[in-house]
């Protein structure tokens, strides 16, 4: 089953506006693309679009939050996190303001918008900031749960979403819940653990089935929150399977692979392989074709899994 990240975000904005009457949404001329326009239609007095001025938007969001409002700052991943990085650091994270960054268009699966619009560094950038928490939704069914967990969590939170279509990894999206710092084990296994975030969780499940056909038992973990990371689940997987493969629609440095490798280096060192962009930008093209070209696939995960098992 396929779903649309941004359409689910539009529904989440409405649900959040109803449940959190003090919630304010700030954006930068992308209200239609991020579906935050749905919030504007219902609560125009709680919605601010500042035009193409991301640094101003972040400062405005921080200022509004100082009056005890939870605030969502929403835009494309690149423009939500990288253009206004200094303002995020100094006006949101340093004073620990209650601002949630909800970003669409994560990774190269954005496709035709091209390399300038493909956020491939955002997880690394956001998790490097003190006080910032990082959630990556695995499928459209996790969007509402991720947004609500971000709003409930005090202080800065970054929620990364895809651009449009993504496969569901949960049979009942309405039953999905997200808890900061808790990973989700979607499939048990004893030979290797596949740790994914975002759209690569679905590819990890497909890879696990392909490995099963080869007689390999693969555990699949939807990490969900890259920061704070669920060290207990990772250590348990390392102890029980002895090998890890990470999979992410992100550059290979500083993202999921870095977070998992850092955690295991301090707790339970085991062989770790990665499936990610290998220090390269994307390009313009259909998202499905780019994912194939850059090796963000179940077949590549299978290849890495067999290799890491051989290293045990």
């Amino acid at each position: 089953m396929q779903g649309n990240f941004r359409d689910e975000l539009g529904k989440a904005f409405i649900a959040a506006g109803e449940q959190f009457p003090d919630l304010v949404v700030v954006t930068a001329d992308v209200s239609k693309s991020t579906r935050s326009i749905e919030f504007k239609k219902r609560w125009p007095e709680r919605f601010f679009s500042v035009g193409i001025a991301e640094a101003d938007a972040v400062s405005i969001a921080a200022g509004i939050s100082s009056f005890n409002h939870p605030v969502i700052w929403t835009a494309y991943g690149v423009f939500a996190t990288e253009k206004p990085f200094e303002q995020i650091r100094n006006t949101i994270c340093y004073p620990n303001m209650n601002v949630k960054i909800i970003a669409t268009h994560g990774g190269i699966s954005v496709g035709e918008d091209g390399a300038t619009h493909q956020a491939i560094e955002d997880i690394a950038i956001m998790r490097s900031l003190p006080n910032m928490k990082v959630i990556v939704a695995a499928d459209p069914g996790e969007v509402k749960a991720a947004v609500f967990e971000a709003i409930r969590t005090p202080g800065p939170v970054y929620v990364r979403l895809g651009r449009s279509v993504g496969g569901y990894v949960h049979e009942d999206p309405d039953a999905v819940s997200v808890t900061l710092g808790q990973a989700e084990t979607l499939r048990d296994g004893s030979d290797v653990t596949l740790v994914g975030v975002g759209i690569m969780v679905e590819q990890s499940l497909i890879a696990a089935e392909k490995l099963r056909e080869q007689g390999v038992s693969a555990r699949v973990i939807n990490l969900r929150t890259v920061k704070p990371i669920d060290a207990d689940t990772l250590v348990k997987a390392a102890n029980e399977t002895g090998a890890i493969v990470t999979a992410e629609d992100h550059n290979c440095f500083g993202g999921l692979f870095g977070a998992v490798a850092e955690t295991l280096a301090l707790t339970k060192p085991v062989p770790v392989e990665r499936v990610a962009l290998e220090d390269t930008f994307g390009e313009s093209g259909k998202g499905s074709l780019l994912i194939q070209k850059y090796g963000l696939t179940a077949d590549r995960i299978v290849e890495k899994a067999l290799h890491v098992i051989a290293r045990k």
Side-chain angles (χ1 to χ4, degrees):
M1 183 171 64
Q2 298 284 307
N4 189 297
F5 281 96
R6 291 186 293 163
D7 288 347
E8 292 304 316
L9 180 57
K11 297 174 188 176
F13 278 128
I14 294 298
E18 291 173 345
Q19 183 159 330
F20 304 98
D22 292 332
L23 180 67
V24 173
V25 174
V26 178
T27 189
D29 203 38
V30 287
S31 59
K32 290 183 179 179
S33 295
T34 62
R35 307 299 194 262
S36 55
I37 195 170
E38 301 303 322
F39 188 96
K40 177 185 178 181
K41 291 175 183 177
R42 293 284 295 274
W43 302 283
E45 73 283 0
R46 292 196 271 149
F47 178 87
F48 300 90
S49 181
V50 303
I52 305 173
E54 290 84 356
D56 288 344
V58 167
S59 298
I60 289 168
I64 294 171
S65 73
S66 71
F67 289 90
N68 296 318
H69 287 276
V71 180
I72 289 176
W73 150 236
T74 184
Y76 296 6
V78 167
F79 307 120
T81 63
E82 299 184 37
K83 287 187 73 176
F85 177 78
E86 180 187 351
Q87 285 71 30
I88 292 171
R89 179 187 188 275
N90 292 331
T91 68
I92 293 178
C93 289
Y94 180 57
N96 203 25
M97 304 305 288
N98 197 25
V99 177
K100 323 304 170 184
I101 304 173
I102 312 295
T104 61
H105 294 67
I108 64 164
S109 54
V110 168
E112 292 89 341
D113 287 350
T116 59
H117 285 52
Q118 295 163 0
I120 63 168
E121 314 90 356
D122 54 320
I123 296 174
I125 291 169
M126 290 295 101
R127 83 175 186 92
S128 72
L129 288 167
N131 293 326
M132 181 66 77
K133 282 73 71 177
V134 179
I135 301 173
V136 184
D139 67 4
E142 279 193 350
V143 172
K144 178 182 175 182
V147 170
F148 271 56
E149 179 66 0
I151 296 170
R152 288 191 296 261
T153 300
V157 183
Y158 177 55
V159 178
R160 188 202 212 219
L161 308 176
R163 177 181 183 269
S164 53
V165 175
Y168 281 87
V169 300
H170 302 96
E171 292 184 3
D172 184 6
D174 292 333
V176 173
S177 63
V178 172
T179 301
L180 198 72
Q182 291 186 13
E184 175 186 34
T185 301
L186 294 172
R187 177 175 178 144
D188 201 10
S190 57
D191 296 324
V192 65
T193 299
L194 313 179
V195 182
V197 291
I199 62 168
M200 298 305 292
V201 175
E202 180 186 22
Q203 294 303 309
S204 297
L205 287 168
I206 296 170
E209 185 59 26
K210 291 188 175 190
L211 286 164
R212 184 194 65 79
E213 294 170 357
Q214 299 183 45
V216 176
S217 174
R219 184 174 305 186
V220 177
I221 293 174
N222 170 18
L223 195 66
R224 278 183 171 160
T225 65
V226 180
K227 183 186 178 185
I229 200 164
D230 188 346
D232 290 342
T233 294
L234 290 175
V235 170
K236 183 174 186 290
N239 277 321
E240 295 176 356
T241 70
I244 308 285
V245 177
T246 64
E248 59 193 307
D249 182 6
H250 186 273
N251 198 26
C252 59
F253 297 122
L256 175 67
F257 172 70
V260 170
E262 290 163 15
T263 300
L264 294 178
L266 293 171
T267 53
K268 178 64 179 179
V270 297
V272 182
E273 298 275 351
R274 70 192 183 204
V275 174
L277 287 166
E278 289 298 327
D279 201 24
T280 182
F281 289 105
E283 59 189 286
S284 181
K286 289 186 179 297
S288 59
L289 295 179
L290 293 179
I291 285 190
Q292 290 289 327
K293 176 174 180 177
Y294 291 95
L296 305 182
T297 63
D299 287 341
R300 181 61 62 85
I301 296 171
V302 168
E303 175 188 325
K304 295 288 187 174
L306 296 175
H307 188 263
V308 79
I309 289 170
R311 292 174 53 199
K312 287 201 287 185

